Amino acid sequence: MFFLGIGLSTFGSVLQEIFYFKPQTIYVSVVFLTVLAYILGEAMAFIIPRRGVVGRFLNPGPFNMKEHAAITLMASAAAQSALATEALAAQDLFYGGYPSKAAGVFIVITSQLIGYGLAGLLREVLVYPSHMLWPMNIPVTSLLETLHRDKVETRARLKFFYIVFFFMLVRLTSVLQYIFPVLEGVSIFCLAHQDSLVFTNLFGGASGNEGLGFLAISFDWNYIAPFGSPLWVPLYTLTNNFIGYLGCIVLFMGLYYGNVFSAQNFPFLAQELFDGASNGTNYIVYNQSNILNEAFEVDPVKVAAVGTPWLTASYLGYLITSNMGFTATFVHMLLWNFDDLKAGWAWAAPSNLKRVFTGDFWKFWANQETPEARNERKQNDPALDPHYKLMMRNLYYEVPLWWWGVVVVICWAVGLACLYVMKSTLPWWGFLLSTLLTVLFLLFFGAQYGITGFQFNIQPICQMLAGYMFPGKPLANLYFTCFTFNALQMGQLLARDLKLAQYVHLSPRSTFTVQIIGCLVGAILNYVMMITIVDNQATILKGIDGSNIWSGQNVQQFNTLAIAWSMAKDMFSIGGRYQWVTISYLLGFIAPVPLWLAYRVWPHPLFKYMNTSIILWYMGYLFVGINSAIGMYFVLGFIAQWWLRQYHPHLFIKYNYILSAALDGGTQVMVFILTFAVFGGSGKSRPFPNWAGNPDTSLHNLDYCAVNPAISS
């Protein structure tokens, strides 16, 4: 378990950090890691001798489901891209570097573990109740049970997995990624009309920040399924995503060609800050060093002399629609899912909240009751999950609250010291406030994620709060967001995986151990890979377009919002240049009401099926990255979730998740190999010679759409 857990943690964390610097952010598939762990675990159980003292110690029995689950949990904890590496990369690329490499490592580790510790302290709320389903665990739980239930059936499924995996690994991905990359996005319209920028903006999308990729065809699974496989996205979510996707195309084209926010003075898609002297034929990136003093704080006198920066209309469209989606989520759930919310928030009843203000509640280091008394109390609690009750009945040792408390306290103290060493400009009270907000966000958003499976992206919210609390301090904005948004994400991940451990009855102390180890391995390797990529690809990472291999779009948008919100009064406040970014929060409260009222008057199922909050979230989806594969995402998703599930349910149940894991696995392993072999991950790139299937992108984009001369120059 330790050998495979640490090995897959290493693989997953390195791969995830590589994906973070791709033109389209991609997530390492936990389903694939689960299947890979099974194959390797069965192989080790077969190969390692079983006889003798050494054999009995190394291979005492068959590879079982609990070992498998522990490996999956460790790899899942590691296979994350820490937001701290984004903050460090931004400081390295745009602020002249940071003063201490050692402090940088500990910033990454503590920002990950603080979220873990807080979620552990809140597990009575987020994990143990039966209504906290964490539905995203269902594919992994089903897969674990299936692989360890019927060996004959498992062998048949694994044979199918091997065929698809090795086809993707040896043939398809290596050809698509390296030899024949034009197949990443084939646009018939651009092939027919190669000198139109309108066609580039609408139909292009095979290169980073190129266009919207409308009606393009992609054969590269790497970009078809960047955020998760379409084969297991529920049809309801998929349909609303598709409506938002079409709305995004209309919105972005309307903003640009309507010249809203002076859109045509700037690129169609870009995440940089731009100078007001840009005029559509000459894009001038805003030189943030002209407005920062020696402490990297915004100087109002310099801003007055230089002027405030500008944003592209597409980026503003993303900010406006995602902000609306954020507030629309609350109203939508209150209108349509009130009964679910009422059950899910029973813990927030005044009688339960009253306990929080008692002294005994916070004495997590003290034993308030005997194990027997605690077990009896929990067995009689009707709100607790039956899986958890069964574990307690079998007398599993619980993780004491003080273990989680120690994790939080140590990480908080180390993190605070490192922030001052890094000259982050974030004051101690700001760091304390970030921790308190993380607790609040974890209670609300973690509970909603556990009930509904819908995860909120609160990063723009955190950057907005930091902008008003620390005006003129972009570095403080970066690190405040790191210790709120990142800690929340990691806390939700821990709670999700704690529920998975509960479903498979893995002991709590084993779960604690593997998650802490996975987090430490992942954080350290995240940092190592970030340093390697930033050192070798700095020029590309700071460019507007990036390339089809590397892109700094994540770091750029993180830094862009940090600078912009540091000038919130002039940029986003009411009366500012982009006041609609702030007003959009208010508009989001209103957005779900018309459909709800329409349903009350005319109860047609269509009104109930449309989720305004999800639609709004996806109306800004195409603001960045490689967009030529999004159409194929929806085609394959509808085939799996509608046609296959409805008309061939036996095939769906038998092969859908295995197929998804094989497609993810073959693609991601080959990307891992190619990154170090030919794409410059090790410092030296070896590009494939140009030919029709690998065109010279200085002349036209990868899909033969016209290149914007203002960007190419």
Side-chain angles (χ1 to χ4, degrees):
M1 184 275 288
F2 279 106
F3 178 79
L4 290 180
I6 293 174
L8 290 178
S9 295
T10 301
F11 169 74
S13 58
V14 170
L15 187 60
Q16 187 59 71
E17 192 68 14
I18 290 170
F19 284 162
Y20 195 76
F21 290 95
K22 290 290 184 181
Q24 180 67 57
T25 303
I26 302 161
Y27 292 123
V28 174
S29 169
V30 176
V31 173
F32 163 62
L33 292 176
T34 304
V35 175
L36 187 57
Y38 177 81
I39 295 168
L40 296 175
E42 288 288 333
M44 289 182 70
F46 177 76
I47 294 170
I48 296 174
R50 296 186 180 181
R51 296 180 180 178
V53 177
V54 175
R56 285 195 297 272
F57 177 75
L58 293 177
N59 193 9
F63 181 63
N64 61 60
M65 187 169 74
K66 292 192 179 183
E67 286 179 290
H68 191 183
I71 294 167
T72 301
L73 291 174
M74 190 186 294
S76 172
Q80 311 299 316
S81 182
L83 189 69
T85 61
E86 188 176 356
L88 294 170
Q91 192 169 353
D92 201 347
L93 291 168
F94 303 110
Y95 299 86
Y98 45 91
S100 172
K101 301 294 184 184
V105 174
F106 283 105
I107 285 284
V108 179
I109 293 173
T110 55
S111 67
Q112 299 285 83
L113 282 175
I114 279 181
Y116 271 159
L118 293 176
L121 292 173
L122 296 172
R123 66 194 191 280
E124 293 270 2
V125 172
L126 299 176
V127 181
Y128 295 162
S130 56
H131 57 261
M132 291 295 172
L133 295 174
W134 295 93
M136 66 294 300
N137 280 327
I138 292 173
V140 179
T141 307
S142 301
L143 195 58
L144 285 168
E145 292 180 349
T146 301
L147 291 173
H148 292 274
R149 185 189 303 137
D150 187 336
K151 294 295 182 182
V152 176
E153 186 177 339
T154 297
R155 279 196 292 270
R157 295 186 183 189
L158 285 179
K159 183 179 179 181
F160 175 71
F161 172 85
Y162 294 141
I163 293 170
V164 177
F165 175 85
F166 285 108
F167 175 72
M168 295 294 292
L169 178 68
V170 179
R171 298 287 301 277
L172 193 59
T173 304
S174 59
V175 170
L176 287 174
Q177 288 279 309
Y178 187 51
I179 301 171
F180 209 150
V182 75
L183 295 180
E184 286 179 12
V186 178
S187 174
I188 303 299
F189 298 92
C190 282
L191 289 172
H193 196 0
Q194 298 181 19
D195 58 359
S196 170
L197 288 180
V198 177
F199 273 45
T200 298
N201 293 340
L202 181 58
F203 301 113
S207 298
N209 282 345
E210 178 190 347
L212 305 178
F214 185 52
L215 299 179
I217 302 171
S218 177
F219 299 90
D220 192 340
W221 185 259
N222 199 41
Y223 296 114
I224 292 172
F227 299 114
S229 172
L231 303 185
W232 45 288
V233 176
L235 187 62
Y236 168 78
T237 305
L238 201 66
T239 303
N240 283 281
N241 291 354
F242 183 67
I243 296 170
Y245 161 74
L246 295 178
C248 183
I249 293 172
V250 174
L251 174 66
F252 282 9
M253 293 297 287
L255 288 174
Y256 189 76
Y257 289 100
N259 203 28
V260 182
F261 302 120
S262 302
Q264 295 183 20
N265 290 344
F266 311 103
F268 183 59
L269 298 178
Q271 297 75 50
E272 290 271 21
L273 293 167
F274 289 92
D275 194 286
S278 300
N279 56 19
T281 58
N282 182 26
Y283 302 139
I284 304 173
V285 176
Y286 191 79
N287 189 346
Q288 67 182 52
S289 61
N290 288 339
I291 63 169
L292 300 177
N293 60 25
E294 293 180 355
F296 298 111
E297 298 175 349
V298 175
D299 187 331
V301 176
K302 293 183 178 181
V303 173
V306 176
T308 53
W310 292 73
L311 300 171
T312 60
S314 55
Y315 193 31
L316 289 164
Y318 153 73
L319 292 174
I320 290 170
T321 56
S322 60
N323 289 350
M324 289 180 66
F326 173 78
T327 49
T329 301
F330 297 104
V331 177
H332 177 89
M333 295 188 72
L334 285 170
L335 293 175
W336 297 102
N337 303 92
F338 181 76
D339 291 338
D340 294 332
L341 287 178
K342 187 177 179 181
W345 286 88
W347 60 269
S351 58
N352 292 329
L353 288 178
K354 185 178 179 180
R355 292 193 310 116
V356 176
F357 298 99
T358 62
D360 291 342
F361 180 84
W362 294 101
K363 292 181 180 178
F364 55 79
W365 57 87
N367 287 320
Q368 300 299 319
E369 57 184 345
T370 64
E372 294 77 12
R374 181 176 65 249
N375 186 30
E376 182 179 356
R377 174 176 59 80
K378 291 187 174 183
Q379 294 296 331
N380 296 325
D381 189 343
L384 292 184
D385 192 318
H387 292 280
Y388 178 66
K389 289 184 178 181
L390 184 59
M391 292 173 67
M392 292 298 99
R393 195 177 304 147
N394 291 334
L395 300 179
Y396 282 81
Y397 286 108
E398 183 59 273
V399 176
L401 275 175
W402 70 264
W403 287 20
W404 299 108
V406 167
V407 170
V408 173
V409 171
I410 291 176
C411 289
W412 200 90
V414 174
L416 180 61
C418 289
L419 286 171
Y420 279 94
V421 171
M422 297 290 284
K423 300 180 180 178
S424 68
T425 70
L426 181 65
W428 66 267
W429 60 267
F431 185 43
L432 175 61
L433 191 57
S434 74
T435 307
L436 296 176
L437 285 173
T438 301
V439 174
L440 182 65
F441 290 156
L442 196 55
L443 280 171
F444 282 82
F445 298 118
Q448 298 307 322
Y449 189 23
I451 295 169
T452 67
F454 186 78
Q455 188 176 24
F456 302 95
N457 175 20
I458 67 162
Q459 181 174 337
I461 312 300
C462 295
Q463 293 201 263
M464 178 196 71
L465 292 173
Y468 285 108
M469 287 191 295
F470 318 111
K473 295 183 177 181
L475 280 179
N477 191 300
L478 293 175
Y479 286 104
F480 176 84
T481 305
C482 168
F483 279 97
T484 46
F485 172 68
N486 183 77
L488 172 66
Q489 294 290 98
M490 295 306 295
Q492 289 176 329
L493 170 69
L494 170 73
R496 183 198 72 188
D497 286 355
L498 280 174
K499 193 70 174 187
L500 175 61
Q502 191 169 291
Y503 284 147
V504 298
H505 301 170
L506 186 65
S507 84
R509 295 191 178 187
S510 296
T511 304
F512 177 88
T513 303
V514 298
Q515 288 186 313
I516 293 294
I517 292 174
C519 181
L520 289 171
V521 171
I524 293 169
L525 291 174
N526 275 177
Y527 178 79
V528 171
M529 283 309 302
M530 181 274 294
I531 290 290
T532 303
I533 294 170
V534 169
D535 286 348
N536 293 319
Q537 309 296 335
T539 302
I540 294 176
L541 298 180
K542 289 191 283 188
I544 295 175
D545 268 6
S547 69
N548 67 309
I549 304 300
W550 299 108
S551 173
Q553 48 98 356
N554 281 315
V555 181
Q556 288 178 16
Q557 59 179 299
F558 193 26
N559 180 64
T560 290
L561 284 185
I563 293 287
W565 279 111
S566 296
M567 297 179 277
K569 181 179 179 181
D570 297 321
M571 295 284 287
F572 299 117
S573 295
I574 304 300
R577 179 182 295 157
Y578 301 128
Q579 62 178 349
W580 286 101
V581 172
T582 302
I583 295 174
S584 60
Y585 286 110
L586 301 176
L587 297 178
F589 287 113
I590 304 170
V593 176
L595 285 175
W596 182 77
L597 290 175
Y599 182 78
R600 303 288 292 183
V601 174
W602 182 36
H604 193 279
L606 177 65
F607 297 127
K608 191 172 185 178
Y609 201 75
M610 295 176 68
N611 188 315
T612 315
S613 59
I614 297 178
I615 292 171
L616 285 168
W617 272 95
Y618 279 85
M619 280 186 68
Y621 183 73
L622 303 175
F623 82 103
V624 66
I626 290 177
N627 293 323
S628 59
I630 309 301
M632 289 297 292
Y633 172 91
F634 289 112
V635 169
L636 295 176
F638 283 122
I639 289 174
Q641 290 292 328
W642 177 69
W643 179 76
L644 189 64
R645 190 168 196 165
Q646 181 169 346
Y647 296 105
H648 303 281
H650 61 292
L651 293 177
F652 179 88
I653 294 170
K654 193 171 184 179
Y655 292 114
N656 188 66
Y657 295 143
I658 288 290
L659 174 61
S660 177
L663 291 170
D664 287 340
T667 302
Q668 293 180 1
V669 170
M670 182 50 68
V671 169
F672 180 83
I673 295 170
L674 291 177
T675 295
F676 292 99
V678 296
F679 289 158
S682 59
K684 183 175 178 57
S685 61
R686 296 173 178 83
F688 195 81
N690 292 128
W691 68 292
N694 183 33
D696 183 354
T697 53
S698 65
L699 303 176
H700 39 65
N701 286 296
L702 200 59
D703 48 14
Y704 288 91
C705 292
V707 171
N708 189 331
I711 294 178
S712 63
S713 60

